[in-house]
């Protein structure tokens, strides 16, 4: 079992920044992928960004050049730096843990609310 704890959500004005963190604990594999998803009311959950244990990253087109995902392997923590936030970024953000041999995440965090509003 792997536990994921997210932090860093909140309310920010358009153009502002937030940094989300996801810390994993428990029976962590030597190789895994941490993925950040978001879900806005009435919308499907969408993949925002992910990072592998060897540092490869992937971003949704809607957040490229604004969001940066990074990892601190010593702390089993993945961060999502979000800049130039816009109202359409408002959603609940979830981190997830996916094993490379599985097509879907196996574990999910509880989610953290990000609201972009003036």
């Amino acid at each position: 079992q792997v536990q994921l704890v997210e932090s860093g959500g909140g309310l920010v004005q358009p153009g502002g920044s937030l940094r989300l963190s996801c810390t994993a604990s428990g029976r962590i594999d030597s190789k895994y992928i941490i993925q950040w998803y978001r879900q806005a009311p009435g919308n499907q959950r969408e993949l925002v960004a992910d990072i592998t244990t060897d540092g490869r990253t992937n971003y949704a087109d809607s957040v490229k050049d604004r969001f940066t995902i990074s990892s601190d392997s010593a702390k089993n923590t993945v961060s999502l730096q979000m800049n130039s936030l816009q109202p359409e970024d408002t959603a609940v953000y979830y981190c997830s843990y996916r094993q490379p041999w599985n097509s879907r995440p196996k574990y999910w965090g509880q989610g953290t609310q990000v609201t972009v509003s003036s």
Side-chain angles (χ1 to χ4, degrees), residues 45-59:
R45 192 170 294 190
E46 62 171 344
L47 179 63
V48 175
D50 59 31
I51 187 166
T52 67
T53 43
D54 57 5
R56 287 176 292 156
T57 60
N58 175 60
Y59 297 92

Side-chain angles (χ1 to χ4, degrees), residues 1-4 24-29 97 99 106-108:
Q1 192 82 358
V2 173
Q3 295 78 41
L4 302 172
S25 62
R27 301 186 69 172
I28 298 170
D29 300 284
Y97 176 102
Q99 296 160 316
K106 187 171 184 179
Y107 304 105
W108 291 88

Side-chain angles (χ1 to χ4, degrees), residues 6-23:
E6 299 132 336
S7 61
L11 172 64
V12 64
Q13 292 187 341
S17 298
L18 281 175
R19 186 177 183 88
L20 307 182
S21 292
C22 173
T23 299

Side-chain angles (χ1 to χ4, degrees), residues 6-117:
E6 299 132 336
S7 61
L11 172 64
V12 64
Q13 292 187 341
S17 298
L18 281 175
R19 186 177 183 88
L20 307 182
S21 292
C22 173
T23 299
S25 62
R27 301 186 69 172
I28 298 170
D29 300 284
S30 59
K31 294 186 181 297
Y32 58 90
I33 302 163
I34 294 293
Q35 300 180 303
W36 282 100
Y37 285 80
R38 67 184 180 188
Q39 187 167 21
N43 289 359
Q44 289 188 336
R45 192 170 294 190
E46 62 171 344
L47 179 63
V48 175
D50 59 31
I51 187 166
T52 67
T53 43
D54 57 5
R56 287 176 292 156
T57 60
N58 175 60
Y59 297 92
D61 288 342
S62 59
V63 306
K64 277 181 182 175
D65 302 324
R66 298 189 300 125
F67 291 11
T68 302
I69 191 169
S70 60
S71 67
D72 182 340
S73 58
K75 297 180 180 178
N76 290 324
T77 296
V78 169
S79 297
L80 184 68
Q81 177 67 41
M82 306 186 295
N83 299 329
S84 302
L85 284 162
Q86 300 302 317
E88 53 266 32
D89 295 314
T90 295
V92 178
Y93 284 69
Y94 299 90
C95 73
S96 67
Y97 176 102
R98 181 167 77 83
Q99 296 160 316
W101 53 91
N102 287 328
S103 61
R104 296 185 178 185
K106 187 171 184 179
Y107 304 105
W108 291 88
Q110 79 283 1
T112 185
Q113 177 70 47
V114 171
T115 303
V116 185
S117 175

